[in-house]
Amino acid sequence: MDFRSGWPPPVLDPAGPFAGPLTTVAWVLFVMGLAVFLIVVAVLGVALFGPPRFRRSLQTERLVWIGGIAFPVVVLSALLVYGLATTARLSDAADEGEMRVRVTGEMWWWRVAYLDTEGREAIQDANEVHIPTGQPVVIELESADVIHSLWIPRLGGKTDMIPGRRNFMRIQADTPGVYTGQCAEYCGGPHALMGLVVIAHTPEDYDVWRARQAQPAPLSSLPGAQTFTAAGCGACHTIRGTSANGLAGPDLTHVGSRRTLGAGILPNNQGTMAGWISDSQAIKPGNRMPSYPVMTGQELQDISAYLESLK
Amino acid sequence: MRFLSAVSLTVPVVLASCAEPEYPRRTVAGADAARGLELVRETGCAACHDIPQVRWPKGRSGPPLAGIGTRPLIAGRIPNQPDAMGAFIQDAPSLVPGTAMPAMPLNDRQARDVAAFLYTLDDD
C-alpha cells in the first residue's frame, strides 16, 4: 500500500461516532456564520443604496440594541450551549473496561503506549495507533516537552497535549482502514513533519496484531544485530529481547512492521531506513536523531536489513 | 573576397566544435517514465538521493540524480546501460558490494519504469 494513502485527511468526512458530532457542529457554525454575514451585507446595502425611508429606519438606537447586542448574545449563547452539549462526552476519561492508549507528544514524533486494565503501559510503539473497529478507544494525551496537538480529523476533534497535564480524547472507527493525523500545534522546527496514523482493524485482526506486538524481538543471527549494538543505537532505542533499552527515541521492537519512518513522512523499507540512519538531518532537519556519517555502506546495509526484519 | 569567404566557412565549423557534445538519450523499450517517477515517490528514493522532480526530501547519502541519464557510469563501476540500470535498482549490493543502497522491492517491470524515468534526467 502506498504510504501516502489517507493523506491529507479530509476534515469534514467523519468515519466514527465521535467525529460525527464535530462535523455537525462545524456545519451549523458555517451556516450560521453565512446567515449573519448575508444579513449584515443586506443591511449595509440598504444603508448605502436603499430608498431614504428605509435608510432613516436604520438610524434608530433600537436597531443597535437589537442587532448589535441582543441578537449576538442570544445566538452565540445558544451556539455555545449546543456546542458544549454535543461535544461534552468527547473528552471524558476512560470508563471501566474501555481500551486506553497513551500518546505522548515528543519533538517531533509520537510515543504510543497501550495500557492494560490496570493502567500500566503494556506495549510500546511509535507514530501509529492500532485500534479495533466498532468500539470507543480513549487516547490519553500527554506531552514530554512543549505543547503539541493531536488531530485525526476523520475520527475525532483536535486536542492539545500540554506538559504536566493529561487530556483525553475518544475515537472510534466504524470500518477498518487507515486514518491519518497530524500535529496541529506548532511545536518548533520540523513540526510539519510530525504525522501519525491510526490503523483500524476488525476486532479479530486487532487481537492478532496486539498478540504479535507484545512479543519481544526474536534472537537474530543477522550481522546487523551486532552492528546495531556496537554502534550504540541502544542508548536511545529499545528493542525488547535485546540489550538495547534506551528510552529517548522510539521503541524499535517491531519497527519493520510500521507503515512509515520518521513520524509518517517516509515509506518504510530498507532503503529509506538506511537513508534515515545515515543522514536523518537532511530529511527532517533539527530532529533529535543525529546523522551518522561515520557508518560505512556495509554497516548501513546490515543495520537496515536487521531493523526491517523486526516485523 | 577569398579571405572573407574562407572566414565565413570556417567560423561556423569552429563554433560548432565548441558546442556541448551531444549524448544520445538512452531509452528503455516499452517502459513508462511517468510510472517510474510515481514508483520513485512511493518507494522514497529521495531519502538518499536529490531528485529534481521530487521537491522533498533531498537526501544526501546517495549521489544526486540530476544528469544520471547521460552519465557514463553507475556507482562509478558499471557502464550506464538500460539493463544494467534496471538490475542495479533491483539489487545494488550484488553488483556493487559494500554499497549502502539496498536491494529495492521492485519487480522487473517496475525497475524498467524507474530506469526509464532516470534516463529523462539530463544535465540541462
Side-chain angles (χ1 to χ4, degrees), chain A residues 2-4 193 265-267 269-272 274-276 278-279 282-284 296-298 300-301 304, chain B residues 38 41-48 56-61 93 97-105:
Chain A
D2 190 342
F3 81 105
R4 297 166 298 180
L193 301 178
I265 61 171
L266 289 174
N269 58 49
Q270 209 191 316
T272 52
W276 175 265
S278 172
D279 196 3
I283 298 168
K284 187 167 174 172
T296 65
Q298 191 62 51
L300 290 168
Q301 185 84 244
S304 55
Chain B
E38 205 43 42
R41 293 186 196 279
E42 280 174 30
T43 312
C45 305
C48 292
W56 174 91
K58 296 280 188 193
R60 302 182 305 166
S61 302
T99 178
M101 175 155 161
M104 298 308 294

Side-chain angles (χ1 to χ4, degrees), chain A residues 14 26 34 105 194 238 288 310:
Chain A
L34 182 67
M194 183 170 165
T238 293
R288 294 279 156 87
L310 300 175

Side-chain angles (χ1 to χ4, degrees), chain B residues 3-118:
Chain B
F3 171 74
L4 270 183
S5 63
V7 168
S8 64
L9 279 175
T10 317
V11 165
V13 172
V14 170
L15 286 182
S17 65
C18 293
E20 291 283 316
E22 286 280 321
Y23 293 107
R25 179 176 264 206
R26 298 179 177 94
T27 54
V28 187
D32 182 343
R35 215 162 45 209
L37 173 57
E38 205 43 42
L39 284 164
V40 163
R41 293 186 196 279
E42 280 174 30
T43 312
C45 305
C48 292
H49 297 285
D50 181 334
I51 303 168
Q53 274 89 332
V54 181
R55 212 154 44 120
W56 174 91
K58 296 280 188 193
R60 302 182 305 166
S61 302
L65 298 182
I68 185 71
T70 55
R71 268 184 238 160
L73 293 174
I74 301 168
R77 301 261 182 101
I78 309 157
N80 189 358
Q81 294 301 321
D83 287 349
M85 182 61 94
F88 183 79
I89 291 164
Q90 279 180 303
D91 193 0
S94 74
L95 295 170
V96 182
T99 178
M101 175 155 161
M104 298 308 294
L106 299 172
N107 62 32
D108 290 357
R109 187 204 169 110
Q110 291 171 323
R112 288 168 63 80
D113 287 342
V114 173
F117 163 68
L118 293 178

Side-chain angles (χ1 to χ4, degrees), chain A residues 59-68:
Chain A
Q59 292 174 345
T60 61
E61 198 173 296
R62 202 162 127 251
L63 188 73
V64 175
W65 279 101
I66 294 174

Side-chain angles (χ1 to χ4, degrees), chain A residues 252-275:
Chain A
L252 300 180
T253 310
H254 296 281
V255 68
S257 68
R258 286 191 199 135
R259 285 180 79 250
T260 62
L261 290 184
I265 61 171
L266 289 174
N268 185 9
N269 58 49
Q270 209 191 316
T272 52
M273 181 67 86

Side-chain angles (χ1 to χ4, degrees), chain A residues 82-286:
Chain A
Y82 165 72
L84 289 177
T86 314
T87 58
R89 172 112 180 97
L90 305 184
S91 52
D92 285 350
D95 294 335
E96 191 69 30
E98 281 185 316
M99 178 176 156
R100 294 158 70 187
V101 183
R102 181 169 298 149
V103 178
T104 307
E106 307 248 358
M107 292 158 95
W108 290 268
W109 58 286
W110 312 90
R111 188 187 295 276
V112 176
Y114 296 80
L115 306 189
D116 63 15
T117 48
E118 311 291 314
R120 291 172 303 214
E121 297 192 354
I123 301 172
Q124 298 282 349
D125 201 354
N127 303 325
E128 277 184 11
V129 177
H130 293 253
I131 62 172
T133 54
Q135 68 182 70
V137 175
V138 177
I139 310 249
E140 302 188 1
L141 302 158
E142 297 184 3
S143 170
D145 33 51
V146 299
I147 299 179
H148 302 273
S149 183
L150 178 57
W151 192 27
I152 309 152
R154 297 196 67 203
L155 298 182
K158 188 190 295 178
T159 310
D160 279 1
M161 306 167 130
I162 296 166
R165 201 186 141 83
R166 182 178 294 167
N167 284 337
F168 300 94
M169 178 166 125
R170 237 183 203 74
I171 61 171
Q172 176 174 334
D174 289 334
T175 52
V178 169
Y179 303 95
T180 51
Q182 166 67 23
C183 182
E185 177 71 45
Y186 180 68
C187 54
H191 153 74
L193 301 178
M194 183 170 165
L196 173 132
V197 65
V198 173
I199 299 168
H201 307 270
T202 62
E204 302 78 48
D205 288 351
Y206 173 76
D207 289 341
V208 172
W209 176 86
R210 182 155 177 152
R212 199 187 56 197
Q213 201 70 14
Q215 298 290 322
L219 195 61
S220 178
S221 59
L222 290 173
Q226 294 283 331
T227 319
F228 185 91
T229 309
C233 307
C236 290
H237 294 285
T238 293
I239 297 179
R240 277 176 279 133
T242 74
S243 62
N245 60 359
L247 295 174
D251 185 297
L252 300 180
T253 310
H254 296 281
V255 68
S257 68
R258 286 191 199 135
R259 285 180 79 250
T260 62
L261 290 184
I265 61 171
L266 289 174
N268 185 9
N269 58 49
Q270 209 191 316
T272 52
M273 181 67 86
W276 175 265
I277 296 166
S278 172
D279 196 3
S280 73
Q281 292 299 326
I283 298 168
K284 187 167 174 172

